[in-house]
Amino acid sequence: MEPGSTGRRGRAPRRTEAVIRRAVARDAARLTRLVRTSRAYEGPYAPMVAGYRVGPDYIEAHRVFVAADGATGRVLGFYALLLDPPELDLMFVADTAQGLGIGRLLAAHLREEARGAGLTVVRIVSHPPAEGFYRSIGAEPVGTVRAHPPAVMWDRPELLLPVDSP
């Protein structure tokens, strides 16, 4: 691999100015595509997202936020925050945007939203390969959520993200 290359399509990622905005119903197809094509869900994890859908009704019912390229509007990632009980329901970063700080940008925004809603902590049931990311932003492991076949075939780490942590 060449220095500076990430191995993604043979190019190093370019820096981008991302803006975070509230998702709208017309984002549903793009968010669904981002989930279904995520390389984080290849192999044994693929069945989990094969038929997954982020519908307009979901976007309208929950606090869903999109990170978009400020110049092109291209969706770089998104998250969904549930308030009662407080939980990160979804967080995805597009494969092509990995390594650009989009996940950290979304996490910082998540904390602002949670703080504004009066929350002190947000529960995260993590995709196993993403646990390291959540721990790196300050989430603390508190247990394991057991598999629920056939929908979820593997145990998942459970973490709590303090809202007031940096």
Side-chain angles (χ1 to χ4, degrees), residues 19-98:
V19 295
I20 299 196
R21 62 170 174 78
R22 187 82 183 242
V24 295
R26 70 178 177 271
D27 290 320
R30 287 188 283 185
L31 302 186
T32 296
R33 190 168 36 260
L34 197 155
V35 170
R36 289 184 184 177
T37 61
S38 173
R39 286 193 301 224
Y41 282 86
E42 289 180 332
Y45 300 115
M48 176 78 176
V49 298
Y52 200 87
R53 178 180 169 267
V54 180
D57 52 335
Y58 180 87
I59 291 170
E60 291 172 5
H62 300 291
R63 292 181 182 217
V64 181
F65 292 88
V66 169
D69 183 304
T72 67
R74 184 174 62 96
V75 172
L76 304 171
F78 77 99
Y79 77 88
L81 173 63
L82 306 182
L83 297 181
D84 190 21
E87 184 169 352
L88 174 64
D89 192 37
L90 299 167
M91 181 182 277
F92 281 83
V93 174
D95 293 335
T96 58
Q98 297 286 325

Side-chain angles (χ1 to χ4, degrees), residues 1 17 19-20 27 55 57 68 84 113 116 127 137-138 142 147-148 152 162:
M1 190 176 313
E17 275 302 312
V19 295
I20 299 196
D27 290 320
D57 52 335
D84 190 21
E113 279 297 308
H127 178 47
I137 62 166
V142 294
H148 292 283
V152 180

